[in-house]
Amino acid sequence: MNQDAELAALSSQASKFFKSYRFETIILLCFAPLVYLHFRNLWRYDHYQYFPLILLAFPYLVWNCRGTGPMRWTSPLWERGFAVTSLVLLAIATFFWSPNLAMLGAVFAVGSLLLTLRRGGKISQFLPLWFVLWFLVRLPGNLDITLIFSLQAWTSQAASLLLDALRIDHALLGNVIWAGPQSYFVEEACSGINSLFSLTALTAVALILNRRPPIHAILLLVAAVFWACVVNIIRVATLVLFNERWHIDLLEGTPHTLFGLILFLLAVAMLICTDQFLMMFHESEHVVELGRPQHPSTPANSPHNNIAADTNDSESSSPPRLREHRFAAILSPIFALLLLSQLYSCIAGTGRIASRNLQPSEIAFAATDLPTDLDGWTQTAFEVQTRDVVNYLGERSAVWTYQRDGNEVYVSVDYPFWHWHELIQCYQAQGQTLASREVLASDDELPAVVLAELTNISGQSSLLAFSLFRQSGIAMQPPPEASGFTAYAFTRIDNNLDTFFNRNEPTYQVQVLAPISNPTNAIAEDAILALHREVTQRIRSLVPIKAGGD
């Protein structure tokens, strides 16, 4: 009976809430189509697959923060500002069909509702609840991919230092750890990005459930980042140690997964220890909620408490007043029009076409897509490589092997990318060093070619020619340098403009790699460029046909 009564009370409270905040609820529902696409896209990235935890925990977090407490007056201008911001973001997201931007607008819309609840004394804190929602938004401008590259480099270097301390003979080249004949490549998943994002999100949720002072909370979030990185460095070094010293293979399969889970639990344990350490610097009775100001205690029989109680009772018993939700009522028809626009785009095909990029590429190449005899080169092998969607080498690669006059070259089509892809950085991450790089402009509609010379660990050189073009065949312009501030600024500006004008059109990369095994019989640069030109012409004409048949 008690459970039935509690369920009935909970149902009644939920009904009162949606009745009181019906206009705010309508506004949130207007984000549904694009937010659904956002979550579907977010699930493709391993380091964002914690987001269901946020979605499931958030209603309970709000419920856990319920209660009037000491009233803190806030101006309605903040709520209206958040609501207008969410409206503008949803309008821009609908026009450009940007699910991530729509999710950002939804965060501001929920923030407006939280501010309303906070001002009315329905919840005790706003900022921590709103902060948790930001974990549902993907970092803009592929900053998460850039972070993966940085973490790969830091993890590789730190793990190498740890292996030195453990007296494991090895060599570090880029993101590859060589121990004798065995090589260990620190891949994207080994960068620590998964545990970093997951542990930080878990910490943010725990801080709401176990309230801490602001400084304590900030330090704990920093500690979550620190322990995630430290544990991941230990993970990479331990994998090499176990395999080299005791011949225990933890590199793949179930042992690899269980080992990663154990280390993640270790990071959680270290985070709990850090929290207890920080608790030593303040008394437990002085712990206040993050986002709630400290107020002097008020006696239970104070007339102020009685007034607050009477006010809350009268508010809960009286019907919702429209003037308190007038601004939301004014905005809700505009949000409804944006919802109709999203639904129309989906039904008419515009939204469906735009959202196809959220799915893995279905374009496939075969050995017959390039001739067996190409400008004197004979095709000897063909393979298709499939990777994770966020792999910097591309989700898919079709690789042909050609031979001529005792020389062997590799012709590859890598795709899909969304902007310019600096292939040289991928080879550098695998231990190659860049000797030279030159951008060669094309005298016709073909893309400009980047010609580079690379050197591996044994001193063997290779010639690399690559270019990129859009699915429609439009050529991509390479940056003047492979790295440095100029290349970074060029890439950022170009990517932002590219996103604005060509958001829904992927890019394809054609590369020709020619290892120079015999310097006396080296392949001339002109031969590499001629082969690259011939392959680019054929692939460039095939891609729109294959995409049209998708």
Side-chain angles (χ1 to χ4, degrees), residues 365 396-400 411-415 508-511 539:
F365 290 91
R396 293 192 177 191
S397 292
V399 185
W400 292 263
V411 176
S412 177
V413 180
D414 313 305
Y415 63 98
Y508 293 75
Q509 174 182 269
V510 176
Q511 63 164 307
I539 298 298

Side-chain angles (χ1 to χ4, degrees), residues 267-493:
V268 174
M270 298 307 298
L271 196 59
I272 294 174
C273 293
T274 304
D275 177 62
Q276 294 301 308
F277 172 76
L278 293 174
M279 288 286 289
M280 295 171 56
F281 295 93
H282 54 78
E283 297 293 334
S284 59
E285 61 266 20
H286 293 161
V287 175
V288 296
E289 301 173 11
L290 180 63
R292 172 188 284 187
Q294 298 188 47
H295 295 270
S297 60
T298 305
N301 58 354
S302 171
H304 296 289
N305 278 347
N306 295 332
I307 293 173
D310 293 340
T311 303
N312 292 328
D313 291 340
S314 63
E315 285 184 358
S316 60
S317 60
S318 61
R321 291 176 294 179
L322 180 61
R323 68 181 185 86
E324 295 181 356
H325 308 275
R326 183 182 302 166
F327 195 73
I330 294 173
L331 292 184
S332 56
I334 306 176
F335 276 98
L337 290 176
L338 292 175
L339 173 61
L340 293 176
S341 177
Q342 296 173 58
L343 295 175
Y344 173 78
S345 296
C346 292
I347 296 172
T350 306
R352 188 181 302 113
I353 293 173
S355 65
R356 285 172 64 185
N357 288 334
L358 302 177
Q359 300 298 322
S361 176
E362 298 296 334
I363 296 179
F365 290 91
T368 55
D369 287 330
L370 290 180
T372 55
D373 186 29
L374 184 61
D375 196 22
W377 295 90
T378 302
Q379 184 182 142
T380 58
F382 172 78
E383 67 171 324
V384 175
Q385 301 174 358
T386 304
R387 313 178 187 88
D388 188 78
V389 67
V390 296
N391 193 293
Y392 54 73
L393 295 176
E395 182 186 348
R396 293 192 177 191
S397 292
V399 185
W400 292 263
T401 303
Y402 281 89
Q403 290 183 349
R404 187 181 76 175
D405 299 332
N407 292 308
E408 188 173 67
V409 298
Y410 303 96
V411 176
S412 177
V413 180
D414 313 305
Y415 63 98
F417 302 103
W418 308 113
H419 307 290
W420 174 262
H421 176 251
E422 187 58 42
L423 180 60
I424 293 175
Q425 294 180 0
C426 299
Y427 283 106
Q428 287 177 322
Q430 297 176 5
Q432 302 267 11
T433 57
L434 177 64
S436 63
R437 179 185 185 274
E438 182 181 5
V439 177
L440 304 175
S442 177
D443 54 0
D444 50 23
E445 76 282 358
L446 289 178
V449 181
V450 176
L451 181 64
E453 183 178 353
L454 304 169
T455 306
N456 63 14
I457 182 176
S458 61
Q460 181 184 8
S461 298
S462 301
L463 288 178
L464 173 67
F466 69 97
S467 63
L468 280 88
F469 58 87
R470 294 207 159 276
Q471 187 167 286
S472 60
I474 300 175
M476 297 289 292
Q477 180 62 34
E481 300 175 6
S483 60
F485 177 78
T486 304
Y488 178 83
F490 177 92
T491 302
R492 285 296 173 199
I493 295 174

Side-chain angles (χ1 to χ4, degrees), residues 74-87:
T74 57
S75 171
L77 292 178
W78 282 101
E79 304 161 26
R80 296 172 183 176
F82 272 53
V84 171
T85 302
S86 68
L87 176 63

Side-chain angles (χ1 to χ4, degrees), residues 35 83 121 127 132 147 150 154-155 164 171 184 216 241 252 263 374 395 409-410 426 437 475:
V35 167
L127 190 58
V132 168
L147 180 60
S150 301
W154 298 338
T155 300
D164 286 337
Y184 305 88
H216 185 127
L241 174 67
E252 57 186 0
L263 288 180
L374 184 61
E395 182 186 348
V409 298
Y410 303 96
C426 299
R437 179 185 185 274

